[in-house]
Structure formats: structure tokens, C-alpha cells
Amino acid sequence: LKAPASAGTYPGNLMLRNLAGVVFGLGADGQQSFLVRIVVDPSAGTVIGGWRGEYYANRELNGSASLIRTDYSIDFDWGRSAPALGIPADDFSVRWTGAASFEAGTYRFKVLVDDGARLFVDDNLVLSEWEDGGVRELIVDVGLSSGSHALKLEYYDHTRDARIRLTWEKLTATATPTLTSTSTLTTTST
């Protein structure tokens, strides 16, 4: 499925088709469709054209990426599973790059992560928690000028659960926005 470009909620009733071409769904007879609801929220980490996701079969972002794909949002809870074929369930890393358009103001970026993450805005490191740890929310406020800004999120999973999500919201308008490096760490238990 590909999310629509415009903000909104898009519901749809779907059924599946197996490799033999047989259509099936839910219920005892497999004939009931299921509801899929796609919610497009531009403030929830959407970038122009999607994120370029480079997936590595090591946790250091070393060498060539094992997989390169477009991810339309960064909100993954892989648990103890691998993120894709050819990528291990543990000791992997991902680098997402993209650009988003912002109005002038201060924005709060939130990264929910298990294990490590680094966030760059216009090639400036604004958030770094590149260490093992359980799921936690990292927060940084960044002043941005009006226009397009380059974003890069780096992530690694060492062992056990793998979780990453990036969102942002506008806090205030400002006449002369500047890049700030103030960050707050909020920990949530799993």
C-alpha cells in the first residue's frame, strides 16, 4: 500500500490474494473483508517523496547498504524480528534521509527508540543517544527558518526488541529562528 500525499484519513475494505490467485479474507469462510485505515499526518514525520532508507546488516552503518528502499514514515516496531529479508533480527542499522518543508518557528522533534539513534537537521547533529537501552523517548527543540530542511535519522539495534519512530510538531513562531541543541530525555518503561 502507498499512502496518499494529502493529509487525511483514508479507510478501505480489503481482501487478500494468495500466490494461486485465490481471493480470501476473514471469517470462518474467508469471505469477509477487513478494514484498513491509512492516516496521513504531515506533522508526524512525513518528508517530501518519502524517506530514503538504507538498511545495513551491521550496527555501525558500515559498508554498502544491504537494502535501500523508500519508507513513507519512520514508525517501526519490529520487536525481535528482522526489518526485511537479508537484514538480521539483531545487530542491524538504518540511515533515513529526506527533506521536509517547514514554516519558520520552533519545532519539537521526538524519537522513540530502542536501542540507539542520532538525528541531524541540515547536517547539524541535534540529538544523539547512540547507546544500547530499552525503549525511551528522546526530545529536542529546534528553531527553523521557513523552507525546506534536510533531515537524517540514524538508528541501530543491538539485541532483543527493535523500535524506532520519528515525529515533530511546531511549538512557536519566531521572527529569527536559530538552530538550538537543547535536548530532553524522557524514559518510558517497557
Side-chain angles (χ1 to χ4, degrees):
L1 297 172
K2 183 176 176 181
S6 301
T9 300
Y10 302 88
N13 292 309
L14 300 180
M15 297 200 44
L16 301 174
R17 182 183 317 267
N18 67 19
L19 292 176
V22 177
V23 176
F24 64 95
L26 301 175
D29 61 359
Q31 298 303 307
Q32 297 174 11
S33 63
F34 56 93
L35 175 65
V36 173
R37 184 170 303 157
I38 299 172
V39 178
V40 179
D41 180 1
S43 68
T46 302
V47 296
I48 301 162
W51 292 94
R52 176 186 165 93
E54 300 171 65
Y55 290 73
Y56 296 82
N58 61 71
R59 62 182 164 152
E60 296 84 22
L61 300 160
N62 286 338
S64 298
S66 298
L67 169 69
I68 298 174
R69 71 180 188 195
T70 301
D71 292 319
Y72 289 94
S73 66
I74 300 173
D75 188 1
F76 298 101
D77 187 353
W78 292 296
R80 297 185 182 189
S81 300
L85 291 176
I87 307 295
D90 289 319
D91 289 322
F92 69 89
S93 55
V94 186
R95 177 181 293 122
W96 288 280
T97 54
S101 186
F102 294 89
E103 296 176 353
T106 300
Y107 289 81
R108 176 160 290 160
F109 290 85
K110 296 180 181 182
V111 177
L112 183 69
V113 64
D114 177 344
D115 284 299
R118 292 187 289 231
L119 177 65
F120 298 80
V121 177
D122 295 326
D123 291 323
N124 295 297
L125 180 63
V126 297
L127 189 148
S128 182
E129 184 85 14
W130 200 251
E131 58 190 50
D132 292 358
V135 68
R136 62 210 182 272
E137 186 171 60
L138 311 173
I139 299 171
V140 63
D141 295 341
V142 180
L144 296 175
S145 60
S146 180
S148 180
H149 292 273
L151 301 172
K152 177 170 60 175
L153 180 64
E154 295 178 337
Y155 167 74
Y156 83 88
D157 174 64
H158 183 191
T159 61
R160 303 185 64 180
D161 292 336
R163 179 78 169 101
I164 185 75
R165 179 178 69 210
L166 171 64
T167 60
W168 61 78
E169 62 185 338
K170 185 176 181 182
L171 297 178
T172 62
T174 178
T176 54
T178 56
L179 189 64
T180 62
S181 61
T182 305
S183 64
T184 305
L185 170 63
T186 304
T187 304
T188 56
S189 57
T190 57

